[in-house]
Amino acid sequence: MNRQIHMVDVGTQYRNMKSEIDQAIIDVVESGQFINGPKVKEFQVDLEKFLDVKHVIPCANGTDALQIALMALGLKPGDEVIVPAFTYVATAEVIALLQLTPVMVDVDPNTFNLTAEIFEKAITPKTKAVVPVHLFGQCSDMEPIMDVAKKHNVYVVEDNAQAIGADYTFADGRTQKSGTIGDIGTTSFYPSKNLGAYGDAGAIFTNNDELAAKLRMIANHGQGQRYHHEMIGCNSRLDSIQAAILGVKLKYLKNYSAARQAAAAFYDQAFAEEEWMQTPTRQHNSTHVFHQYTLIIKDGHRDALKAHLSAAGIPFGVFYPLPLYDQEAFKHFVPDDLDLPVTEMLCKSVISLPIHTEMDEEILNHISGVVKGMFKTA
Ligand SMILES: *Cc1c(COP(=O)(O)O)cnc(C)c1O
C-alpha cells in the first residue's frame, strides 16, 4: 500500500470540514474577541447540553483541568489521593504539584481501569480523593466506585481526557456521560484526543453549583469580581479560536465515536483467531469510544511486533511503557513494598494500533494483514 498511515489523521479530518473550520476561525479574528469571547460561552453551553451536565468550565488544557479540580476540593498538604499507576503522568503530576500524596494502585487486567475493590483496599484515614482514569475510551466502573467513595467520604475526580462521549449505564438502566458522574470530571482537547482542538485546550465538568463557582474562580486568578481575588488561583483560559474550532467539531463527535468503534470492530474480527494477543475487552455497562485500540501481546512478543510494524511502515504507540512508580520524578512517593503486577505486565505487553476518524477498509485491511503476518514471514 503506498498511502501513508497515521496514528491520528487530523489532516484528512480537517479537509473534510475545511470551509466550516476556516469560517469559524475567521469569525473570531474579525470579532477581535480572542479571550473569553462569545465563542467560548457558546462552546461551553453546547458541551453542557451534549454531556447533560450542569456546569462546564473551559480551561487551557487537560493537566490544568485536573489541577484546578483538585485545588477546588480544599485539600491539605499530605492528604492522600488514590491514582492508578497505569496512566499518563499528568494524572499524578498535579497531585504531587499540590503537595498532596499520590497513592498509586493497580488496575483491572482486562479494562485497564481502576476498580472499586482496588480503590477500597487503598483507603486510609488520610485518603481525601480518588482519580479514576477512563483509559483508552472506556469508563471505569463508576457506580461501585461512587458507592465506596460515599461510604468513606472521599471526593471523586474523573480523568476523562480519553473517553469524552462514552456512556455509562447504572444498574437501574439510567445512563450518564463519562466525566459527569464523580464530584468533578476533567478532559483534554489536545489535538489527538477524541475531541481535539488545533492547539491546547481543556475543560472541567460538575453538577455541583458550589464547586462550579470555585472552579471558575480558580481558573481565573481566584477572582469572582474583577480585580477582587478571593483565593489563590491560576490563569487557565480556553482561547476563543480553539473554542470556535471545538464548537464545529463537537457536532461531529457522535460520528467520530462511531467511526472509531467501526474501526475497532474491524480489528476485533480480523484478530479473532490470533491466540497470541488479547483484543480490547468491552465492559457491559460502558460504551467504548476507542481513544486507543490497545492489544495485550502475550509471551513477550510485543517488542517483535514493534519491529515487524516498523519494518512495514505502520505507526503504533506504547501507552504506557513505564509505570508511574518507575518514573524518576515519583520515586519519593513509592513505598518499598509496592507491588502492582497488573501495571507491570501491561507496561511490558500493550501496544496500540492506529485508530482515528478517517480509517477506511483499505487501511484497516493493510494494518491487520501486516499484524497477522507476524509469525508467517520467513
Ligand atoms: C492527555 C491526557 C491528560 C492531559 O491533557 P493535556 O491537555 O495534554 O494537558 C491527562 N490525563 C490523561 C489520561 C490524558 O490522556
Side-chain angles (χ1 to χ4, degrees):
M1 209 185 75
N2 47 24
R3 292 164 64 194
Q4 203 192 334
I5 299 176
H6 308 272
M7 272 310 270
V8 180
D9 190 356
V10 289
T12 306
Q13 191 191 58
Y14 164 62
R15 285 185 289 279
N16 287 336
M17 55 180 172
K18 179 171 163 33
S19 58
E20 269 181 289
I21 293 277
D22 291 357
Q23 193 56 53
I25 294 172
I26 291 167
D27 288 348
V28 173
V29 177
E30 286 194 337
S31 78
Q33 294 182 287
F34 300 108
I35 301 291
N36 271 336
K39 288 288 182 187
V40 176
K41 181 76 193 173
E42 224 174 275
F43 173 64
Q44 175 203 315
V45 172
D46 289 349
L47 190 57
E48 283 166 354
K49 272 192 208 133
F50 175 84
L51 295 171
D52 194 18
V53 70
K54 239 170 136 184
H55 305 280
V56 164
I57 296 97
C59 67
N61 58 65
T63 308
D64 275 11
L66 283 162
Q67 181 185 325
I68 294 163
L70 289 172
M71 285 170 80
L73 300 179
L75 309 184
K76 291 183 302 302
D79 284 349
E80 291 178 359
V81 181
I82 295 172
V83 59
F86 189 61
T87 182
Y88 182 56
V89 67
T91 321
E93 188 177 36
V94 296
I95 299 170
L97 195 69
L98 296 172
Q99 298 190 20
L100 307 169
T101 303
V103 174
M104 300 169 199
V105 296
D106 221 348
V107 293
D108 179 88
N110 296 308
T111 64
F112 314 138
N113 282 330
L114 176 71
T115 66
E117 294 73 36
I118 296 170
F119 165 34
E120 188 156 32
K121 272 196 203 128
I123 292 176
T124 75
K126 284 184 170 173
T127 306
K128 292 289 147 54
V130 62
V131 189
V133 181
H134 306 319
L135 206 69
F136 303 149
Q138 189 164 236
C139 266
S140 307
D141 199 357
M142 288 304 289
E143 187 164 19
I145 287 175
M146 293 307 293
D147 289 344
V148 170
K150 281 193 189 110
K151 188 166 118 196
H152 297 274
N153 224 348
V154 171
Y155 285 113
V156 179
V157 175
E158 296 173 77
D159 183 347
N160 194 37
Q162 301 189 2
I164 193 155
D167 288 301
Y168 180 82
T169 305
F170 290 81
D172 65 4
R174 211 163 38 87
T175 69
Q176 245 173 288
K177 290 275 185 230
S178 63
T180 69
I181 300 164
D183 297 285
I184 305 177
T186 67
T187 203
S188 164
F189 304 117
Y190 185 81
S192 63
K193 297 280 156 81
N194 286 32
L195 179 59
Y198 291 172
D200 276 314
I204 311 163
F205 325 133
T206 186
N207 282 307
N208 179 318
D209 297 341
E210 229 172 281
L211 281 176
K214 229 167 148 185
L215 291 162
R216 222 167 260 126
M217 228 184 255
I218 293 169
N220 184 26
H221 296 294
Q223 66 188 331
Q225 211 187 329
R226 204 164 196 193
Y227 302 121
H228 294 260
H229 305 271
E230 296 173 35
M231 55 182 85
I232 299 296
C234 51
N235 173 20
S236 189
R237 296 184 282 240
L238 173 63
D239 136 350
S240 300
I241 290 182
Q242 298 307 337
I245 291 162
L246 288 166
V248 172
K249 292 183 73 174
L250 179 59
K251 292 187 289 182
Y252 300 110
L253 183 56
K254 271 194 184 145
N255 298 352
Y256 290 164
S257 297
R260 287 170 177 276
Q261 285 159 350
F266 185 102
Y267 279 142
D268 279 352
Q269 204 172 10
F271 301 145
E273 309 289 314
E274 305 298 313
E275 306 271 315
W276 51 283
M277 62 168 71
Q278 181 184 313
T279 56
T281 304
R282 311 296 206 284
Q283 212 172 289
H284 71 282
N285 55 3
S286 171
T287 59
H288 198 320
V289 293
F290 287 97
H291 175 59
Q292 299 295 348
Y293 184 87
T294 303
L295 300 168
I296 295 179
I297 305 299
K298 300 177 190 167
D299 307 321
H301 293 303
R302 199 260 312 266
D303 291 343
L305 179 60
K306 281 166 63 176
H308 179 70
L309 289 170
S310 293
I314 293 175
F316 55 83
V318 171
F319 312 111
Y320 296 91
L322 265 191
L324 281 181
Y325 52 81
D326 279 342
Q327 302 285 355
E328 183 70 21
F330 286 95
K331 62 179 183 211
H332 302 299
F333 299 107
V334 183
D336 290 338
D337 59 347
L338 188 75
D339 179 26
L340 305 180
V342 175
T343 297
E344 198 77 15
M345 176 277 287
L346 291 174
C347 288
K348 290 192 179 106
S349 55
V350 289
I351 191 163
S352 302
L353 297 180
I355 193 160
H356 54 72
T357 59
E358 318 298 315
M359 311 276 290
D360 57 36
E361 288 227 344
E362 189 192 17
I363 290 177
L364 285 162
N365 260 320
H366 179 68
I367 297 171
S368 50
V370 170
V371 170
K372 284 159 69 173
M374 164 85 166
F375 294 108
K376 288 175 191 130
T377 41

